[in-house]
Structures are given as structure tokens and as C-alpha cells.
Amino acid sequence: MRRKVVLITTLCVLVGAASAFAASNVYTGSNMSFSKGSGSSGKPVGVSFKQTLAATNTDATKAAAVLVNIKTRIYGLRTDGKDFPTCSPARMVALKSDSFCPTKSKAATGLVNSALGDPSLTKSSRIPCNPNLDVFNGGSGKLWFFFTTHTATQCAGLRTGATAPYLGTISYQGKYQVTNIPLPADISTRVADHANFYGSLIHETLSFFKYAARVHGKTIYNNQSIGCLHGKRPWSITYTATTNGADRQVSTVSGAAKC
């Protein structure tokens, strides 16, 4: 653990000599899948789903350019945040934990594989970082994302609470649910508040849970389907990447899952 923390410090000192590389990310392997169920606006059905993110650079000697925003669009999905428990991001920060959160406040959980290093993110400068990622209901239209670790070797010596919870917002465009997740500096271009210490996504999986509750004698779900399009559920993931914190590369991956 000590060696890895020293390595982080060394990379931050040397970063001034590093040059940014041209963004040329590809996102092959990104995907979304859903449990069965179409439903309708009048009779929604509860669904669970899995989101897979993947990023590589066309230059195999470099990690993918750092992501600063992820936006997903999902057809026929509605999320009920008001009728289910929430978890306080302020308490996560204070306690450096999310273990106190109510069970049904956890919207999703998964694992992230990433690389940390200077802005060039060449092979010689990369450090593996593989934290867990928990997602919590923040109330209507809000999700809180929080990285956790269980061992000192999981992410270069960084432990739970080294980075703060970050906010994702949910809105709707017609029958599409749109989730917008700006990735703050302390998980992208200034990881754990180290200047110019970059985090590059390699692979991420998030499994979103289906919960039920009784409200006014009616069964409702946290994630509910209100319909599909010709037997399919269209989706898209839009990635915004940067090499230096200022430039932007925007790419969209689209697909359609079975209902």
C-alpha cells in the first residue's frame, strides 16, 4: 500500500512533463440488457437492468481518454424516486461509508476497472484501480454514485471516501428516460484531489435492482416499464471524453434490447 501511495505522489510531481494525447476512444462492448416485461402507461411492470460500459484507445499503448460525462437514454423506462428510501450523500462523506444506507435506497451496484496516471496514461504510468460502485436513490430525479473499496490493493491504496459521492439526474424526453452523469474532477482529471492525476475507464458493470412497494393499496416499482417499441427497448449511451480537461470528444453507442 505504501509503495502505491508513493507512486501516486511521484506521478503527480512528474505530470508537468507529460503531454496530452489525441482523443481516439472507442466504446466496443458497451451494452444494456433488461429483465422481461413491456407494460404500458396504465399498467407498468417492474424491471431490473444491467448496464455495461467499456472504453479503449485506438493506440494500444495508451488508456482511453478520460470521461467527463456519461448520458444514457432508455425507451419506456420510468424511475420512481419519491416512494422509496433515499440515502444522504453528506453522511457518506462524514462516515466514509455507505453501509448505513437503507436496503431499498440502493438503486444499483457493480464493479469498475480503471487505470490511474498522468494525462498521457501510457503503459509505464498506469496504476490499476478496481473499486466497487454503489448507486443510491436521491429522491425524485436524483441518483448518487459512490466508490467503495474493501482492501488497500483495490485502488492504489485509495479507500472508501477518498472521492465524494457524485450526482446523476433523471429527466424524460417523450418515452425516453435520460440519465445525465457529469463526472467531477476528483474521479476524472484530479482523482482524490491530486492535480492532473487522471482516471481512465476500462470496464464498468452496474446492475440496477427492481424493488416493489405498496402505496395507497397499489403495488409500485422503483424501475418500471411503460412500453416497448416493436418488441424492443432502444437505448443509447453518450460518452464525453477529454485529454486535457478542456477539449471534448463526444461519441454515442446505440442498441435495442429484448423486452
Side-chain angles (χ1 to χ4, degrees):
M1 174 178 172
R2 181 179 179 183
R3 181 185 68 82
K4 290 186 177 181
V5 173
V6 170
L7 182 55
I8 288 176
T9 304
T10 303
L11 284 171
C12 292
V13 171
L14 295 176
V15 74
S19 60
F21 57 90
S24 53
N25 285 3
V26 291
Y27 302 99
T28 305
S30 300
N31 195 22
M32 300 195 76
S33 60
F34 301 81
S35 61
K36 291 183 178 179
S38 178
S40 65
S41 297
K43 293 184 177 180
V45 298
V47 294
S48 59
F49 61 99
K50 181 178 179 180
Q51 179 185 84
T52 301
L53 309 180
T56 57
N57 196 296
T58 53
D59 182 344
T61 69
K62 298 179 176 66
V66 175
L67 298 177
V68 293
N69 193 275
I70 301 170
K71 180 182 290 185
T72 61
R73 297 179 79 246
I74 302 172
Y75 185 90
L77 186 69
R78 292 291 184 270
T79 296
D80 182 347
K82 69 181 187 302
D83 294 313
F84 289 85
T86 61
C87 193
S88 165
R91 288 197 68 196
M92 293 182 211
V93 171
L95 299 177
K96 296 186 182 300
S97 173
D98 62 19
S99 62
F100 65 89
C101 296
T103 298
K104 287 189 177 183
S105 71
K106 183 178 282 190
T109 192
L111 182 67
V112 175
N113 303 122
S114 64
L116 307 181
D118 64 45
S120 70
L121 283 169
T122 56
K123 282 185 176 179
S124 61
S125 72
R126 294 182 201 170
I127 306 171
C129 176
N130 304 298
N132 296 92
L133 179 59
D134 293 334
V135 185
F136 292 92
N137 178 29
S140 295
K142 294 181 180 180
L143 294 172
W144 287 104
F145 294 74
F146 189 52
F147 285 111
T148 66
T149 60
H150 304 290
T151 68
T153 59
Q154 215 173 326
C155 184
L158 299 176
R159 303 304 297 261
T160 302
T163 59
Y166 57 99
L167 179 65
T169 58
I170 300 171
S171 60
Y172 298 94
Q173 296 175 354
K175 288 193 174 182
Y176 281 88
Q177 176 178 280
V178 181
T179 303
N180 188 50
I181 309 166
L183 304 178
D186 76 337
I187 64 164
S188 57
T189 58
R190 193 183 174 95
V191 174
D193 203 31
H194 292 283
N196 289 314
F197 191 46
Y198 279 28
S200 173
L201 178 74
I202 298 170
H203 192 267
E204 175 184 312
T205 57
L206 276 178
S207 296
F208 286 78
F209 304 116
K210 177 182 73 174
Y211 298 126
R214 295 286 291 180
V215 178
H216 303 304
K218 182 180 179 181
T219 300
I220 54 94
Y221 299 93
N222 62 325
N223 293 311
Q224 48 193 10
S225 173
I226 60 167
C228 291
L229 186 64
H230 308 304
K232 300 284 187 179
R233 191 179 306 284
W235 56 265
S236 68
I237 304 170
T238 298
Y239 298 91
T240 302
T242 185
T243 62
N244 57 19
D247 65 336
R248 294 292 184 267
Q249 176 201 46
V250 180
S251 301
T252 299
V253 179
S254 301
K258 293 181 179 179
C259 276

